[in-house]
């Protein structure tokens, strides 16, 4: 018999409809199934009954009461199949034992975000970095501070084989001489340590001329290029200090760079490019922006919801949510359509690592901000991540002093994992989103462990479409 | 032969509690504002 004694189905089996499919996602194994209408209705009924009875309904009674509209022989067949799948740990699989992630005493830093420039040549309206200055003074990082930051990374990297350095800002290309010096320095230090070093750079592409693009390509730097999509959408938010839009300047640069890296991994592995945009309540039809980029030949696209204060005119309102979800639905179908036409592109958040995805310990702990990943500001101050830069309460230390990082803060970030977030413990998406972005949670609730509900809504929608596409791709392979 | 449920992806997430946690994977950014990588769509490098 299917064993659902003390088993909270809603927490552990997510069923939903997407496109022409009924889908069941088994949370604890990460397995995906297509289920027929009868099975959908039976599981849905079981969940309803558990909800109505506060999960106190006896197992036998639950199985008897659920799916009363289904013919007895059919119901029996379904329950038998579910039992077999449960025995194989593929559906209704055993709930994972809650085990806190384990870390070494001293934090092992594997990545740093180097704020080489706290200045910017654009004045994007939604900039979380206060249009580049992070609400401080506009300044550039010196090569001395950058080198100390790289030394800090290697000193705290333990036995990790790879180190990652991300050039960030503001606009990092405003400090190109220092970037070049740090790339050379980082490679030398890595070679001496017998480790690999990986560089990424996030740019608005204004200064990404051919010479700079080819330099970054030759040096193996992965590049994230900012563009919001259609000209009118991009220029509304991403303009120069004189108010003029940036689209006409940046688009040729972005197209050129994307053509230098035709083999970029959709999963951002190796040397890649991604074009990355932000959508706001002014373009809840952002799927049109993604398609605009795809139609221009851009193959790696990521467009994300803006993080805003409720007072901002571009912040999402309750009435926008359905439109946003609809955009993800349309985009999912378009991803398939373009693929079938031989014009395929990848939308970053429709990637889903299931069978080859990260392990559970990684999924529990999330991004590692504050103990595996830190950001370093131009003056050498160390923060848990780029989003916390400039917030004094979150300052962990400085590369100019050999003092250990603030232990209390490290502990706080380490313990902000899924099992310590009440809203996550019962959520079917808990092992896919790891409890969301720390900075977004703090901005919303003031606490690391209290999640940002709108972020959750959109994350779940993206996952649903992502899993749908996984199934569609598998079905396409079968028919080939 | 199943008739009501078709399994598309067989995951083994639960077993990685014991086998995972080597920490060699690349960093992920949960906000995705940097699109470096988000946990759910990351690939294990083991």
């Amino acid at each position: 018999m299917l064993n659902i004694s003390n088993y909270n189905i809603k927490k552990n089996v997510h069923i939903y409809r997407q496109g022409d499919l009924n889908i069941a996602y088994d949370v604890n194994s990460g397995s995906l199934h297509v289920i027929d209408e009868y099975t959908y209705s039976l599981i849905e009924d079981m969940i309803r009954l558990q909800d109505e009875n506060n999960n106190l309904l006896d197992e036998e009674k639950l199985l008897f009461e659920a799916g009363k509209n289904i013919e007895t022989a059919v119901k029996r067949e379904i329950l038998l199949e579910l039992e077999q799948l449960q025995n194989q740990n593929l559906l209704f699989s055993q709930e994972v034992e809650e085990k806190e992630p384990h870390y070494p005493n001293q934090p092992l830093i594997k990545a740093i975000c180097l704020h080489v420039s706290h200045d910017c040549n654009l004045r994007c309206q939604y900039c979380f970095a206060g249009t580049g200055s992070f609400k401080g003074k506009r300044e550039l990082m010196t090569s001395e501070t950058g080198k100390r930051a790289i030394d800090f990374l290697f000193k705290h990297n333990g036995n990790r084989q790879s180190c990652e350095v991300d050039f960030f800002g503001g606009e990092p290309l405003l400090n190109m001489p220092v970037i070049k010096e740090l790339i050379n320095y980082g490679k030398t230090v890595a070679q001496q340590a017998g480790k690999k070093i990986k560089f990424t750079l996030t740019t608005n592409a204004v200064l990404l001329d051919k010479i700079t693009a080819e330099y970054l390509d030759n040096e193996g730097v992965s590049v994230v290029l900012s563009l919001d999509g259609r000209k009118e959408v991009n220029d509304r938010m991403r303009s120069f200090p004189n108010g003029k839009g940036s689209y006409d300047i940046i688009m040729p640069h972005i197209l050129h760079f994307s053509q230098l890296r035709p083999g970029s991994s959709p999963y951002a592995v190796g040397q890649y490019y991604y074009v990355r945009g932000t959508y706001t309540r002014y373009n809840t039809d952002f799927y049109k922006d993604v398609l605009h980029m795809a139609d221009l030949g851009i193959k790696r696209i990521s467009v994300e919801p803006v993080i805003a204060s409720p007072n901002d005119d571009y912040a999402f309102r309750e009435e926008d949510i359905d439109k946003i979800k609809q955009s993800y639905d349309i985009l999912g179908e378009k991803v398939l359509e373009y693929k079938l036409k031989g014009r395929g592109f990848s939308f970053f958040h429709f990637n889903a690592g299931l069978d080859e995805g990260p392990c559970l310990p990684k999924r529990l702990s999330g991004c590692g901000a504050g103990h595996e990943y830190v950001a370093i500001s131009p003056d050498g101050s160390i923060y848990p991540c780029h989003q916390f830069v400039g917030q004094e309460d979150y300052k962990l230390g400085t590369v100019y002093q050999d003092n250990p990082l603030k232990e209390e803060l490290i502990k706080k970030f380490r313990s902000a994992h899924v099992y310590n977030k009440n809203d996550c413990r019962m959520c079917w998406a808990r092992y896919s989103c790891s409890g969301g972005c720390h900075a977004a949670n703090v901005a919303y609730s003031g606490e690391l462990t209290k999640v940002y509900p709108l972020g959750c809504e959109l994350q779940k929608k993206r996952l649903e479409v992502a899993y749908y596409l996984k199934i569609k791709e598998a079905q396409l392979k079968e028919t080939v | 032969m199943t008739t009501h449920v078709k399994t598309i992806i067989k995951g083994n997430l639960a077993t990685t509690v014991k086998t995972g946690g080597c920490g060699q994977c690349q960093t992920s950014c949960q906000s995705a504002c940097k699109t470096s990588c988000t946990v759910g769509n990351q690939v294990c490098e083991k």
Side-chain angles (χ1 to χ4, degrees):
Chain A
M1 191 169 77
L2 179 69
N3 180 2
I4 47 169
S5 164
N6 299 318
Y7 192 83
N8 184 323
I9 301 171
K10 195 161 72 180
K11 179 184 174 188
N12 296 304
V13 177
H14 178 56
I15 56 164
Y16 67 102
R17 300 182 201 274
Q18 184 75 36
D20 57 348
L21 299 178
N22 296 326
I23 297 171
Y25 167 64
D26 186 67
V27 175
N28 295 286
S29 69
S31 302
L32 267 183
H33 312 266
V34 174
I35 55 179
D36 68 5
E37 200 55 42
Y38 293 121
T39 312
Y40 190 94
S41 135
L42 178 63
I43 299 176
E44 188 179 47
D45 220 14
M46 286 156 75
I47 291 171
R48 179 185 59 80
L49 285 163
Q50 279 195 335
D51 276 351
E52 284 173 6
N53 295 281
N54 294 324
N55 294 314
L56 294 172
L57 200 61
D58 169 70
E59 178 181 32
E60 274 183 46
K61 199 166 182 201
L62 177 64
L63 291 175
F64 175 75
E65 292 287 336
K68 277 200 158 164
N69 56 336
I70 304 170
E71 217 178 291
T72 314
V74 174
K75 184 174 159 184
R76 201 179 299 136
E77 273 175 19
I78 296 170
L79 287 174
L80 188 65
E81 275 183 47
L82 295 181
E83 184 190 339
Q84 285 165 352
L85 288 163
Q86 186 176 48
N87 291 339
Q88 295 170 65
N89 268 320
L90 294 174
L91 191 54
F92 290 86
S93 66
Q94 197 182 348
E95 206 171 317
V96 177
E97 187 193 344
E98 284 194 13
K99 241 173 138 184
E100 300 225 343
H102 173 75
Y103 300 109
N105 284 340
Q106 288 304 315
L108 290 182
I109 309 290
K110 51 184 184 180
I112 54 172
C113 177
L114 274 188
H115 287 232
V116 288
S117 166
H118 269 193
D119 198 358
C120 191
N121 38 15
L122 292 183
R123 295 291 181 270
C124 304
Q125 284 189 44
Y126 48 49
C127 184
F128 74 91
T131 67
S133 65
F134 285 79
K135 292 166 190 157
K137 58 180 178 182
R138 295 190 178 270
E139 60 182 332
L140 302 180
M141 182 180 274
T142 62
S143 62
E144 193 203 341
T145 303
K147 285 175 183 173
R148 278 181 181 258
I150 290 173
D151 291 342
F152 167 84
L153 170 64
F154 278 85
K155 190 178 167 192
H156 293 87
N157 187 253
N159 63 351
R160 298 262 154 81
Q161 286 148 25
S162 303
C163 297
E164 296 164 47
V165 176
D166 184 33
F167 296 111
F168 201 66
E171 173 48 42
L173 296 187
L174 287 171
N175 200 4
M176 201 56 200
V178 167
I179 290 176
K180 285 183 174 174
E181 209 175 325
L182 294 179
I183 287 175
N184 286 339
Y185 183 74
K187 285 185 175 178
T188 307
V189 176
Q191 200 177 17
Q192 285 163 356
K195 294 187 182 217
K196 288 181 196 159
I197 189 162
K198 185 182 167 181
F199 295 103
T200 53
L201 182 143
T202 302
T203 176
N204 61 28
V206 171
L207 297 174
L208 191 65
D209 54 26
K210 281 194 173 162
I211 294 171
T212 308
E214 273 150 32
Y215 167 80
L216 294 172
D217 187 41
N218 290 337
E219 292 295 326
V221 179
S222 292
V223 178
V224 177
L225 305 138
S226 301
L227 168 75
D228 284 354
R230 292 165 289 177
K231 180 175 162 65
E232 63 276 19
V233 170
N234 183 83
D235 287 355
R236 176 169 201 150
M237 286 288 160
R238 306 186 64 79
S239 55
F240 288 96
N242 65 7
K244 202 173 167 236
S246 59
Y247 183 94
D248 291 337
I249 303 282
I250 63 175
M251 187 49 106
H253 294 170
I254 288 174
L255 290 178
H256 174 246
F257 196 86
S258 67
Q259 285 151 11
L260 290 176
R261 294 266 171 89
S264 287
S265 152
Y267 283 88
V269 175
Q271 293 158 21
Y272 62 87
Y273 80 90
Y274 248 98
V275 176
R276 193 262 177 226
T278 298
Y279 67 83
T280 70
R281 82 173 307 256
Y282 291 125
N283 61 320
T284 52
D285 60 351
F286 62 89
Y287 72 92
K288 290 181 183 165
D289 295 291
V290 176
L291 296 181
H292 174 74
M293 297 188 219
D295 288 338
L296 288 169
I298 296 168
K299 300 290 183 194
R300 303 288 173 254
I301 306 167
S302 178
V303 176
E304 320 289 343
V306 71
I307 303 285
S309 140
N311 305 325
D312 294 323
D313 59 311
Y314 51 82
F316 300 119
R317 296 177 198 162
E318 195 58 40
E319 65 263 30
D320 299 326
I321 307 304
D322 283 344
K323 282 185 264 179
I324 294 171
K325 287 183 174 177
Q326 207 180 11
S327 272
Y328 281 121
D329 286 335
I330 297 171
L331 189 55
E333 297 302 330
K334 289 289 177 189
V335 165
L336 280 176
E337 187 187 311
Y338 274 55
K339 190 183 170 86
L340 286 170
K341 283 184 188 163
R343 292 164 55 204
F345 66 93
S346 57
F347 181 69
F348 190 68
H349 284 272
F350 287 167
N351 291 340
L354 286 171
D355 39 352
E356 294 168 344
C359 60
L360 202 69
K362 170 75 182 175
R363 288 167 185 263
L364 290 177
S365 52
C367 63
H371 59 103
E372 287 185 338
Y373 165 70
V374 294
I376 296 166
S377 66
D379 68 358
S381 299
I382 303 170
Y383 295 92
C385 89
H386 53 288
Q387 297 254 11
F388 287 99
V389 167
Q391 297 186 40
E392 278 309 293
D393 290 350
Y394 285 95
K395 187 171 161 179
L396 281 160
T398 163
V399 296
Y400 279 98
Q401 282 169 6
D402 212 19
N403 298 340
L405 300 178
K406 250 189 222 164
E407 206 176 313
E408 206 179 299
L409 255 186
I410 290 170
K411 228 169 157 181
K412 209 169 152 187
F413 275 83
R414 280 179 161 179
S415 59
H417 55 72
V418 168
Y419 295 142
N420 281 335
K421 294 176 183 170
N422 276 340
D423 296 314
C424 300
R425 291 181 70 172
M426 302 301 283
C427 176
W428 64 266
R430 61 191 177 277
Y431 299 139
S432 298
C433 92
S434 306
C437 164
H438 291 318
N441 293 347
V442 168
Y444 170 76
S445 68
E447 292 172 41
L448 282 165
T449 50
K450 202 161 176 221
V451 299
Y452 169 54
L454 176 67
C456 295
E457 275 286 291
L458 301 184
Q459 173 68 286
K460 284 191 269 193
K461 182 69 208 173
R462 289 195 293 253
L463 285 169
E464 287 184 340
V465 181
Y467 295 160
Y468 166 76
L469 290 174
K470 275 265 179 198
I471 295 172
K472 284 286 179 185
E473 278 168 22
Q475 288 177 336
L476 277 176
K477 272 186 199 159
E478 270 180 19
T479 56
V480 172
Chain B
M1 187 70 187
T2 58
T3 54
H4 299 283
V5 182
K6 188 170 165 56
T7 301
I8 308 293
I9 288 175
K10 293 180 178 180
N12 63 349
L13 191 55
T15 61
T16 64
V17 175
K18 288 176 190 147
T19 57
C22 72
Q24 298 293 354
C25 48
Q26 72 174 354
T27 316
S28 46
C29 178
Q30 285 306 101
S31 76
C33 67
K34 296 167 71 184
T35 310
S36 43
C37 213
T38 302
V39 171
N41 59 14
Q42 196 165 7
V43 178
C44 175
E45 296 195 11
K46 217 176 182 183

